[in-house]
Amino acid sequence: GDSVIQMQGQVTLSENDFLFINCTYSTTGYPTLFWYVQYSGEGPQLLLQVTTANNKGSSRGFEATYDKGTTSFHLQKTSVQEIDSAVYYCAMRPLYQGGRALIFGTGTTVSVSP
Amino acid sequence: EAAVTQSPRNKVAVTGGKVTLSCNQTNNHNNMYWYRQDTGHGLRLIHYSYGAGSTEKGDIPDGYKASRPSQENFSLILELATPSQTSVYFCASGVRDWGLEQYFGPGTRLTVL
């Protein structure tokens, strides 16, 4: 069945470190992929989305790359700040409708210390 | 500003009791969703709706009912609450095209004792 896998449950960094979070997906065809960010006490919000048409997306200093060959979708930021501490969710919208909403990964908690 | 609001923000219920979680959106979106968030599981879809009067089962609907009386409002109902339903619940809205962004509310923390 369709699934989204985030292996990294927790990432701990210092300010100005490089952030890399990987996500892999399983579905038929090439879905639209998303990264959502959830700050403490808030609901998730869209960080960026990428389709196969453009392969990359960027927002607020974050960049995401869609690799059809390895069915992976990773998020990176060159120099993280303490305000980037949050939970990051990879999500997928399958090609077929089937009544589904987005399929989310289990989330990666990023903690950045000053 | 368009927004999704949820009430209550925190709720303590007793096992076997009835719980209703409410969601209101001013985005004028057709689609609305209820998710629960649990450590190790991320966000899981409980019910969703295409518009007023419609409700559909998501991935984990057992023990939950939903009601969409209007475009703006979408409720999640636990008729007989159990401790396993202790979680954080998020409501979201989205336009009819599934490929576009979903807007989430701030969440409701439910504890069932």
Side-chain angles (χ1 to χ4, degrees), chain A residues 12 14 35 44 62 67 77 111 113:
Chain A
T12 302
S14 300
W35 281 101
F62 290 87
D67 188 333
K77 187 174 185 182
S111 300
S113 56

Side-chain angles (χ1 to χ4, degrees), chain A residues 24-37:
Chain A
T24 59
Y25 67 88
S26 175
T27 188
T28 302
Y30 304 119
T32 299
L33 298 169
F34 305 81
W35 281 101
Y36 276 75
V37 59

Side-chain angles (χ1 to χ4, degrees), chain A residues 32 34 36 38 41-46 49 87 89 93 97-107, chain B residues 9 33 35 37 40-43 45 48 50 57 59 90 97-107:
Chain A
T32 299
F34 305 81
Y36 276 75
Q38 182 181 18
E42 299 180 10
Q45 57 183 271
L46 181 67
Q49 70 180 75
V87 180
Y89 288 99
R93 178 230 176 187
Q97 295 299 316
R100 284 208 68 98
L102 298 179
I103 300 172
F104 285 86
T106 52
Chain B
R9 294 294 313 278
Y33 315 86
Y35 294 88
Q37 182 181 49
H41 292 279
L43 292 160
L45 182 67
Y48 58 99
Y50 295 112
K57 294 180 179 179
D59 295 323
F90 287 97
D97 182 339
W98 298 91
L100 297 182
E101 180 176 0
Q102 290 184 17
Y103 295 82
F104 284 81

Side-chain angles (χ1 to χ4, degrees), chain B residues 4 76 80 97:
Chain B
V4 179
L76 186 68
L80 294 170
D97 182 339

Side-chain angles (χ1 to χ4, degrees), chain B residues 5-63:
Chain B
T5 56
Q6 295 181 231
S7 63
R9 294 294 313 278
N10 290 281
K11 173 74 177 177
V12 178
V14 296
T15 298
K18 182 177 180 178
V19 177
T20 300
L21 306 182
S22 300
C23 177
N24 177 275
Q25 56 108 353
T26 58
N27 298 323
N28 197 32
H29 288 158
N30 291 318
N31 297 344
M32 294 187 75
Y33 315 86
W34 276 107
Y35 294 88
R36 62 178 285 176
Q37 182 181 49
D38 303 284
T39 302
H41 292 279
L43 292 160
R44 293 181 291 174
L45 182 67
I46 306 170
H47 284 286
Y48 58 99
S49 168
Y50 295 112
S54 99
T55 60
E56 304 290 337
K57 294 180 179 179
D59 295 323
I60 53 165
D62 292 346

